[in-house]
Amino acid sequence: MDVVCWDNCQISGQLENGYVVGVLGDMGTYNNRSQLTARRIKILEDDPAPYMRGPGVPVQNLHYEFKLLLNSIDNSFMKTLLERIFNEATEKMFVNAPAARKIHHHYTGGLLEHTLNVARSCKHAAESYPELNRDLLITGALLHDIGKIWEYEIKAAPQYTAAGRLMGHIVLGSELLNEKIKELRQEGMDFPDKLEWMLKHMILSHHGSLEFGSPVVPLFPEAFVLYMMDNLDAKLFVYKEKINENAGQDELFTSYDSFFGQYFFTYRLPSENNGGQDE
């Protein structure tokens, strides 16, 4: 909701990121969107956590499913690598990280939620297309956004870290993979070169094109499927958000979205198995 604060608004306390504020004002609309004209703003001492958005299901449930997927990998090299990457400290950061600053899954636990959605879709793809290597596809899905644990930090909302702005999660994720594989080799594991190349390539190519930040395009089937499933989950999140947040005058279409350059059709056809009726 947009809030307008004019010069006559009374403000108590210092406005800073991460604090809860109480606002008293008058409701109205502007450009077909709800708008509040603030009369008084006060900094509160409340814990911000209860006010902050999270995944649609409890994070504990998502974390449990994540652990199941980790344990489902049979390939010894990939299994050991995943265990080394997702140590206690890294896993804690991963579970609490956002998946983006604004566009999709932009809240605490969002990275875990997004990663699981992508991994589930990759798992189903591997079942539908037996020529795909299931372990490679799921490992790539679990690791594709790992660099985001250093790209963002959560205050009141996700913000870029210095490393995130300078390098981005694709480079940070590839560097982490390189570091952990080097450690395994120093400890005596003969980690296959071609597997290293393929896992790095999946991280580097998962945005699909140079235009969207990938330094290379997907060059083998598992990399292509990962890119498609990552893009699918992010785009479906956008559609759901835009439809749920519809503030347009037309009940069937949202207001024009200048960022995505389109309107969104809001009507949802009821599913028969939900007992819904078409209107």
Side-chain angles (χ1 to χ4, degrees):
M1 181 186 299
D2 294 328
V3 179
V4 178
C5 183
W6 300 107
D7 290 341
N8 61 355
C9 177
Q10 300 176 30
I11 301 177
S12 301
Q14 183 67 35
L15 292 172
E16 296 180 28
N17 280 339
Y19 287 87
V20 179
V21 298
V23 182
L24 175 68
D26 301 314
M27 281 296 302
T29 59
Y30 180 74
N31 281 344
N32 300 318
R33 293 178 60 88
S34 296
Q35 179 175 280
L36 180 69
T37 300
R39 289 193 286 156
R40 292 178 59 192
I41 296 177
K42 181 179 180 181
I43 309 302
L44 306 178
E45 296 182 357
D46 299 42
D47 178 4
Y51 298 94
M52 295 174 67
R53 183 178 174 182
V57 298
V59 170
Q60 296 90 332
N61 294 7
L62 297 175
H63 194 191
Y64 176 75
E65 185 179 352
F66 175 78
K67 299 291 281 187
L68 290 179
L69 276 173
L70 278 179
N71 294 330
S72 74
I73 302 300
D74 292 324
N75 180 280
S76 60
F77 296 107
M78 286 186 269
K79 192 177 189 70
T80 301
L81 177 63
L82 287 170
E83 290 171 351
R84 180 61 59 93
I85 288 176
F86 288 104
N87 55 41
E88 184 177 352
T90 301
E91 191 169 332
K92 183 177 180 181
M93 294 172 65
F94 181 82
V95 167
N96 292 302
R101 194 170 70 89
K102 287 185 177 180
I103 303 300
H104 72 96
H105 303 87
H106 44 289
Y107 41 76
T108 298
L111 179 58
L112 174 62
E113 183 181 34
H114 168 64
T115 299
L116 271 179
N117 288 342
V118 174
R120 287 192 206 106
S121 296
C122 286
K123 179 173 176 286
H124 293 315
E127 293 168 355
S128 299
Y129 298 92
E131 65 271 23
L132 296 173
N133 185 301
R134 177 194 180 278
D135 280 2
L136 178 63
L137 190 51
I138 293 179
T139 298
L142 296 176
L143 292 175
H144 79 282
D145 271 346
I146 187 66
K148 288 184 176 180
I149 66 177
W150 293 287
E151 184 176 32
Y152 302 112
E153 59 183 349
I154 286 279
K155 292 183 179 177
Q159 302 292 333
Y160 283 112
T161 63
R165 283 191 180 277
L166 290 168
M167 291 174 280
H169 70 277
I170 289 178
V171 171
L172 292 170
S174 180
E175 287 185 345
L176 174 66
L177 206 66
N178 189 66
E179 174 190 330
K180 296 304 180 183
I181 291 174
K182 183 179 179 180
E183 287 179 5
L184 292 174
R185 285 176 175 153
Q186 289 174 342
E187 294 170 11
M189 175 177 277
D190 186 21
F191 199 96
D193 287 339
K194 290 186 177 64
L195 177 57
E196 176 186 5
W197 301 341
M198 295 178 85
L199 289 172
K200 286 181 179 178
H201 179 78
M202 293 175 81
I203 290 176
L204 294 171
S205 67
H206 79 266
H207 279 193
S209 67
L210 278 64
E211 177 186 2
F212 294 111
S214 276
V216 289
V217 298
L219 296 179
F220 55 86
E222 291 82 3
F224 174 73
V225 171
L226 174 59
Y227 151 62
M228 294 295 289
M229 297 311 179
D230 176 58
N231 191 44
L232 173 67
D233 186 55
K235 292 293 175 58
L236 282 179
F237 183 94
V238 170
Y239 272 80
K240 181 178 70 174
E241 289 288 288
K242 294 299 177 182
I243 290 169
N244 289 341
E245 293 174 1
N246 179 34
Q249 286 184 321
D250 191 327
E251 65 179 23
L252 293 179
F253 292 92
T254 65
S255 302
Y256 181 76
D257 190 295
S258 58
F259 185 87
F260 292 96
Q262 67 177 78
Y263 300 90
F264 291 85
F265 185 60
T266 63
Y267 177 72
R268 303 295 300 130
L269 185 68
S271 300
E272 291 184 7
N273 57 5
N274 290 335
Q277 296 291 326
D278 196 358
E279 296 178 357

